[in-house]
Structures are given as structure tokens and as C-alpha cells.
Amino acid sequence: MSAQDLQLALALAAVLFVIGLAGMIARRSLVFMLLCTEIMLNAAGFAFIIAGARWGRPEGQAMFIFLLVTAAAEVAVGLALILALSGRLKDLDADEIRSGGA
Amino acid sequence: MSALLAIAAFVAVASTTAVVLQRRAVHALLYLIVSFFALAVAMLALGAAFAAALEVVVYAGAILVLFVFVVMMIGAEGPIPGPRAWIGPVCLSIVLLGELAYAFLVEPGLLAPAGSGTPPAVRPKEVGMALFGPYAICVEIAAFLLLSGLVGAYRIGRRDAGSRAGGGKP
């Protein structure tokens, strides 16, 4: 892997993480916030992959698998929460929850 | 600089930006699937073929399908999106498909086969050896985490847990 490839890939991971963070801050819909969490987790996992490929070590991909497990558990609980809340809130707005709900 | 990686990076950034800018969750999900495909191609270009396969199978195949189910169950999305919704994701996917076809058919050297390059690309076998050798305890903790996620999702989603379980909006 050349130094340019390394730079480009790390920049990609950073940009994806920032897009996810910006979406998390800007969007108030619960579904979109969970989606942005996925984007950020994925970017972090991609950084692990890059490091593993740079040093030729398998640990990067092993950590990516652990991140997959974390993301799967988080999505299962988060989506169950969204489903449980969807009857009580009108449009699943995070601010609506903070103000006590409908 | 690897053109494969650069094009995949462009598609990933474009589709992820589109995810955040969509109004409806279904459209955002379509773009997010394309974004994960693009990241899988980038991983393939880096020589991490096993992680690329996992990205497609687990992230795009399992987690996002879960999202689609829930968004459809909530029912706040209205009718199924028409052709104008999926024309953007399809165009981005075609770019990725062309890239993969070029890499596989025309220049197989671009994909950095396992065991070649400097440093050598990681084989799936080495990943498995690391997972079930020094990191075996982490695998067991991951199993705990998945089990607690399962129990938590079941408890939260139980029918008598809240005022609503199966209906959504009438």
C-alpha cells in the first residue's frame, strides 16, 4: 500500500465519520440518528481495516468483526426502542421525547 | 494512487452525504446501502477481502434490512418510492459495478490477492487464527453482547411492554 493510498483511505474514514456526526447533530428524527450512528461505526471499522492492511496484520479485520457484533446488538435494541416509541410519538422526533412526549 | 480506491471513496462520500440530506428514511436507506457497497469495494482495494464480504453480507444484508423492516412497520413513510427515488442509488451502484468488473476482468492485479504485496494482504485464515487464538475471550464477550442484545430487544419489543406493539398508525 502506497503512502498516497493510506492518506486517501484515512481521509475517507475521517470524512465519513464527520458526515455521520454532522447528520447526528442536524437531524432530529430517531431513525436518522440511528442511521448516523451506523455511519460513524462503519467509518471507525474502516479505519481498523486500513491499519490492519498497512501493517499486514489480521488484528484490524478481527476488530472489524467485533465492531460488526456491537453494531448488530446496538441496532437490535435501538430499533426495538423506536418501535416501542412509535405509537406514542407522532413523528419520532428526539426533541419531542425530551419535552415529555405527546 | 489506486484509481479503484479513489473512485470508491468518491462514491462513498457522495452517497453518505445523500443519506444525511434525504427527507424520507427509505430513500436514506437506499443511499446508505450504496455507501456500504462503496466501502466494501474500498476494503477490497486495500486487500481486506474477508472484511469486504462481511460488510456486504452483515451490514448491507442484515442490519439495513432490519432498518427497512422497521421503517416499513412504523408506516410513516407513505407509498413505496417510485423510480425517481432509486435512480440516484442505481447510478452510483453502476459506477461501483463497472469498477469491480474492470478490476476483475481487465486488471486482476489491482485487487491485491491475499498473500501478495508489501506488506502482504491478510488472508481470512489468519483472521480466524487471531480470533480463536489470542482473542478467544473477546469472541466469548461478543457472544454475551449478542445475547444481551437479543434479550433486550425481546423485552423492549414485547407486546404488553408499552401502549403499542403491533399496530402503528391506522
Side-chain angles (χ1 to χ4, degrees), chain A residues 1 4-5 8-9 12 15-16 19 23 27 31-32 34-36 38-39 41-42 46 49-50 52-59 61-66 68-73 75-77 79-84 86-88 90 92, chain B residues 1-2 5-6 9 12-13 16-17 19-20 22-25 28-29 32 36 39 42-43 46 48 50-51 54-55 58-59 63 66-67 70-71 73-74 118-120 122 126-127 131 135 138-139 142 145-146 149 153 156 162-164 169:
Chain A
M1 182 200 282
Q4 277 177 330
D5 276 0
L8 177 64
L12 172 62
V15 166
L16 287 188
I19 292 175
R27 304 299 297 257
V31 177
F32 273 93
L34 207 53
L35 278 181
C36 290
E38 287 308 303
I39 294 174
L41 268 177
N42 206 35
F46 187 54
I49 300 278
I50 297 164
R54 168 64 182 83
W55 301 106
R57 303 282 301 164
E59 276 86 357
Q61 294 188 43
M63 286 303 152
F64 180 72
I65 292 174
F66 293 138
L68 273 186
V69 173
T70 315
V75 158
V77 176
L79 286 179
L81 272 175
I82 288 180
L83 268 184
S86 67
R88 297 177 209 175
K90 278 200 302 293
L92 286 175
Chain B
M1 187 188 294
S2 159
L5 183 61
V13 170
T16 312
T17 312
V19 169
V20 179
Q22 293 302 307
R23 280 188 59 82
R24 296 173 57 179
L29 283 170
L32 192 58
F36 286 165
L39 264 189
M43 289 175 188
L46 290 178
F50 185 51
L54 278 182
E55 173 94 11
V58 179
Y59 254 119
I63 295 181
L66 208 61
F67 265 104
V70 168
V71 168
M73 272 178 79
I74 293 174
T118 50
V122 181
E126 297 167 24
V127 180
L131 273 180
Y135 296 105
C138 295
V139 175
L145 181 65
L146 277 181
I156 296 170
S163 63
R164 175 216 170 270
K169 295 203 176 90

Side-chain angles (χ1 to χ4, degrees), chain B residues 66-165:
Chain B
L66 208 61
F67 265 104
V68 172
F69 276 150
V70 168
V71 168
M72 289 299 177
M73 272 178 79
I74 293 174
E77 291 293 320
I80 303 290
R84 282 184 55 209
W86 47 258
I87 200 80
V90 162
C91 288
L92 289 173
S93 305
I94 283 174
V95 171
L96 288 177
L97 184 66
E99 199 181 10
L100 267 189
Y102 178 79
F104 273 115
L105 300 176
V106 184
E107 273 190 74
L110 277 180
L111 283 182
S116 71
T118 50
V122 181
R123 294 188 185 90
K125 183 184 170 189
E126 297 167 24
V127 180
M129 299 279 281
L131 273 180
F132 290 97
Y135 296 105
I137 186 73
C138 295
V139 175
E140 289 167 13
I141 294 174
F144 281 140
L145 181 65
L146 277 181
L147 181 65
S148 59
L150 178 69
V151 173
Y154 179 72
R155 173 69 184 82
I156 296 170
R158 221 168 39 165
R159 281 193 180 269
D160 53 323
S163 63
R164 175 216 170 270

